[in-house]
Amino acid sequence: MQSQALDDIARFLRRLQWTALALAVCWLVWVLAPILTPFVFALILAWLGDPLVDRLERAGRSRNVAVTLVFTAMALIVLAGLLILVPLLERQIETLIASWPHYRDWFMVTALPWVEQRLGIELTDWLDFGHLSQLVRENWDRAGGIAATVLGYLSRSGFAVIGIVANVALLPVITFFFLRDWDLLVERVASLIPRDHLDVVSRLAHESSEVLSAFLRGQFLVMLVLGVMYGLGLWAVGLDLGILIGLIAGLLTFVPYLGPASGILLGVIAALVQYGDWQHVAGVLVVFGIGQVIESYVLTPKLVGDRIGLHPVAVIFAVLAGGQLFGFLGMLLALPVSAVVNVLLRYAQERYRHSRLYVGTHALPEDAVHDPLADPHLPPPVDRKPE
């Protein structure tokens, strides 16, 4: 009895140590989030490129040659994308700046009066420049504090720009070294895993890698196809900013419903400002309607499927929670971490269904099939007792 109590205390202390370690890692990620972004990007790129490197190695090429070929191909793809997108986006942004007075006038003359008429509230006076100037004069001290804050932010933003440039410059270098030493990194991590748990951790790592690789590759292709489709469709409708709106909608597709919702909103506003009729608004709705049908019935089932296994609400929560906790790095890690957590939850459910708490002491349910390879520490199923 005393030995059992000591074992329970030791088990509790081990779990407490793992919990403390997990909390320490989360705290460290939160502190280092501003500098971890290029490393996370590089890890993702290296992880996506490693299977192709391994395939080239199996074909007879050395590791260095295979890494150089894959890295060069990835760099050429990124460079080609930038050469196509940067001039295109530059023209679209110039068009947006030139059209900004029309959007402002439409908002003040058309949209606000329509909202005021429907809701019965006065908004125009509060957005009038003279009224805003009067509010600033009446609250000069507070405005001075805000101005000081803004100036401080702008002064810091110069260092932020330098940091962004440095991160972009470091990204290819870090990616190359991660890609070259990927197998070595995996071996070193595996060597630190307790031997009793090596089989379980290897199985979970393999499942997580399969889920993530299939999901990320498929989701990237869906985003690319939808961005091009929305952009060309809105351009065909006649919107000057159609390509920019389409690319934004395609980029936001990784968050369920956010991509098409933002695209429809921006597209409808652009159609009303540019043309002021409902025919072009209908054209915008048709473009996104066709895009959603193709995404739902062709792209997502073929390219992504249900590989991540998360409900759309869970995906939205994960992205928002990641952004709130760790900023842009958190949003970048939200879906990969959620997919891994989902794999761990399925494993926990499997363990529970093979535990004596679920099975009881009499019989196994018909649909609970014991897998002896799942975890060597799981108790064996209890045989049915003859009546």
Side-chain angles (χ1 to χ4, degrees):
M1 193 69 179
Q2 184 178 3
S3 176
Q4 180 65 29
L6 292 176
D7 291 340
D8 292 340
I9 294 175
R11 189 180 301 111
F12 171 77
L13 291 176
R14 285 196 300 269
R15 292 176 179 176
L16 191 61
Q17 290 174 347
W18 284 110
T19 303
L21 179 61
L23 292 176
V25 170
C26 291
W27 175 80
L28 191 62
V29 170
W30 180 71
V31 172
L32 299 178
I35 66 171
L36 286 180
T37 301
F39 293 91
V40 173
F41 264 118
L43 273 175
I44 293 176
L45 292 175
W47 168 65
L48 290 174
D50 181 69
L52 185 56
V53 172
D54 293 338
R55 186 176 301 178
L56 291 176
E57 280 190 288
R58 289 194 295 270
R61 292 177 174 84
S62 65
R63 179 77 184 182
N64 290 332
V65 172
V67 168
T68 302
L69 291 175
V70 173
F71 180 80
T72 303
M74 295 169 64
L76 290 176
I77 292 173
V78 172
L79 182 61
L82 291 177
L83 291 177
I84 295 173
L85 288 178
V86 170
L88 189 62
L89 291 177
E90 182 181 2
R91 290 193 295 268
Q92 289 284 284
I93 293 174
E94 290 176 353
T95 302
L96 175 61
I97 294 174
S99 303
W100 184 252
H102 300 290
Y103 283 88
R104 182 192 58 201
D105 295 340
W106 175 83
F107 181 75
M108 297 296 297
V109 176
T110 303
L112 276 182
W114 185 85
V115 172
E116 290 176 343
Q117 183 180 1
R118 295 298 186 279
L119 300 179
I121 58 177
E122 291 291 335
L123 296 175
T124 307
D125 293 339
W126 286 95
L127 297 176
D128 181 69
F129 180 76
H131 182 71
L132 293 177
S133 300
Q134 182 181 357
L135 288 177
V136 171
R137 286 193 299 270
E138 293 175 354
N139 300 273
W140 181 253
D141 294 336
R142 183 180 301 177
I146 294 174
T149 302
V150 171
L151 290 175
Y153 173 77
L154 291 178
S155 65
R156 293 191 303 269
S157 65
F159 295 100
V161 171
I162 296 175
I164 292 174
V165 173
N167 288 339
V168 172
L170 284 174
L171 181 60
V173 178
I174 302 172
T175 301
F176 178 83
F177 285 111
F178 276 154
L179 192 60
R180 188 193 67 178
D181 301 330
W182 185 262
D183 291 342
L184 180 61
L185 291 174
V186 172
E187 290 178 2
R188 289 185 176 179
V189 171
S191 66
L192 298 177
I193 299 172
R195 300 296 94 181
D196 289 342
H197 303 283
L198 181 60
D199 293 337
V200 177
V201 173
S202 300
R203 169 198 162 189
L204 294 178
H206 179 72
E207 289 184 10
S208 300
S209 179
E210 291 292 325
V211 169
L212 284 177
S213 60
F215 174 77
L216 289 180
R217 292 190 183 98
Q219 190 62 49
F220 176 76
L221 290 176
V222 169
M223 291 165 56
L224 180 63
V225 172
L226 287 180
V228 173
M229 187 185 307
Y230 289 148
L232 293 178
L234 295 177
W235 174 77
V237 169
L239 298 186
D240 293 335
L241 299 175
I243 295 178
L244 179 62
I245 295 172
L247 291 178
I248 292 174
L251 183 63
L252 295 178
T253 302
F254 75 96
V255 181
Y257 310 116
L258 180 60
S262 60
I264 290 173
L265 178 62
L266 296 175
V268 167
I269 292 175
L272 290 175
V273 173
Q274 186 175 343
Y275 295 100
D277 57 39
W278 293 105
Q279 289 82 359
H280 289 84
V281 172
V284 171
L285 297 178
V286 168
V287 168
F288 281 97
I290 294 175
Q292 282 302 288
V293 171
I294 294 176
E295 178 192 3
S296 301
Y297 292 99
V298 179
L299 295 178
T300 299
K302 298 285 186 181
L303 299 178
V304 180
D306 193 26
R307 289 161 178 159
I308 194 171
L310 289 176
H311 192 276
V313 175
V315 174
I316 295 173
F317 174 79
V319 173
L320 294 179
Q324 179 66 29
L325 293 175
F326 304 107
F328 177 74
L329 177 66
M331 297 181 67
L332 180 66
L333 292 175
L335 290 183
V337 171
S338 299
V340 173
V341 169
N342 198 41
V343 171
L344 296 178
L345 289 177
R346 287 201 298 266
Y347 171 70
Q349 181 184 14
E350 177 185 332
R351 290 197 55 159
Y352 167 69
R353 290 178 65 86
H354 290 85
S355 67
R356 297 192 181 276
L357 176 62
Y358 179 81
V359 174
T361 57
H362 298 290
L364 273 171
E366 293 289 347
D367 58 346
V369 179
H370 180 67
D371 181 8
L373 298 179
D375 188 347
H377 301 285
L378 291 177
V382 181
D383 296 332
R384 297 180 182 273
K385 293 183 178 181
E387 297 294 338

